[in-house]
């Protein structure tokens, strides 16, 4: 648990230096809870610039689907990230997606919100660093675009 918190703090620190030094913006769609915490804290993950430029180059955004629960034992958050094409004439999201689940010992609404945010940032760092899978997602996105021309 201590190692996970250390890793998270390190990732947030690394992400802070790249995310706030950039004028690149990631377009995204999420539920109100996740949208509000992202607006409050920003995107803070390793290789923000790399992912942001790739998305913008491909005219893509990220669709987040998240669910969280406070149980008698822990707080659990699960987040899924798919791609979508930014022009509104295109509908749908990629079936290929990245998923991440995380746990927190605290069982409060604030812990739930923070856990969902942290899981999302870890997921984005993974997506930014996994070139092969990200390229498969982009390929599917381009196939969707070609099919609707």
């Amino acid at each position: 648990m201590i190692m996970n918190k250390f890793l998270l703090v390190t990732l947030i620190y690394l992400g802070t230096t790249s995310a706030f030094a950039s004028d690149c913006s990631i377009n995204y769609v999420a539920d109100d809870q996740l949208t509000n915490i992202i607006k409050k804290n920003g995107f803070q993950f390793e290789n923000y610039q790399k992912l942001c430029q790739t998305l913008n180059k491909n005219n893509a955004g990220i669709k987040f689907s998240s669910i969280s629960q406070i149980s008698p034992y822990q707080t659990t958050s699960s987040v899924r990230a798919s791609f979508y094409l930014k022009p509104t004439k295109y509908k749908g999201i990629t079936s290929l997606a990245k998923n991440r689940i995380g746990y927190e010992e605290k069982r409060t609404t604030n812990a739930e919100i923070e856990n969902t945010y942290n899981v999302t940032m870890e997921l984005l760092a993974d997506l930014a660093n996994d070139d092969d899978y990200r390229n498969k997602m982009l390929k599917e996105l381009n196939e969707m675009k070609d099919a609707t021309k």
Side-chain angles (χ1 to χ4, degrees), residues 70-92:
I70 301 171
S71 76
Y73 306 103
Q74 66 191 17
T75 298
T76 305
S77 299
S78 176
V79 181
R80 175 181 175 92
S82 304
F83 289 164
Y84 68 89
L85 288 162
K86 286 195 284 189
T88 56
K89 70 178 184 175
Y90 301 111
K91 303 292 182 210

Side-chain angles (χ1 to χ4, degrees), residues 19-84:
F20 293 115
S22 167
D23 60 355
C24 188
S25 298
I26 292 177
N27 287 287
Y28 68 96
V29 176
D31 64 25
D32 289 342
Q33 184 182 62
L34 186 54
T35 297
N36 290 337
I37 193 73
I38 290 173
K39 283 181 181 177
K40 177 183 171 192
N41 295 345
F43 285 111
Q44 299 181 34
F45 62 92
E46 180 183 5
N47 286 322
Y48 170 90
Q49 190 70 22
K50 178 181 177 182
L51 180 60
C52 185
Q53 288 177 350
T54 300
L55 291 169
N56 286 326
K57 178 182 164 191
N58 288 279
N59 211 18
I62 299 177
K63 166 66 171 102
F64 294 109
S65 301
S66 63
I67 189 166
S68 57
Q69 175 185 359
I70 301 171
S71 76
Y73 306 103
Q74 66 191 17
T75 298
T76 305
S77 299
S78 176
V79 181
R80 175 181 175 92
S82 304
F83 289 164
Y84 68 89

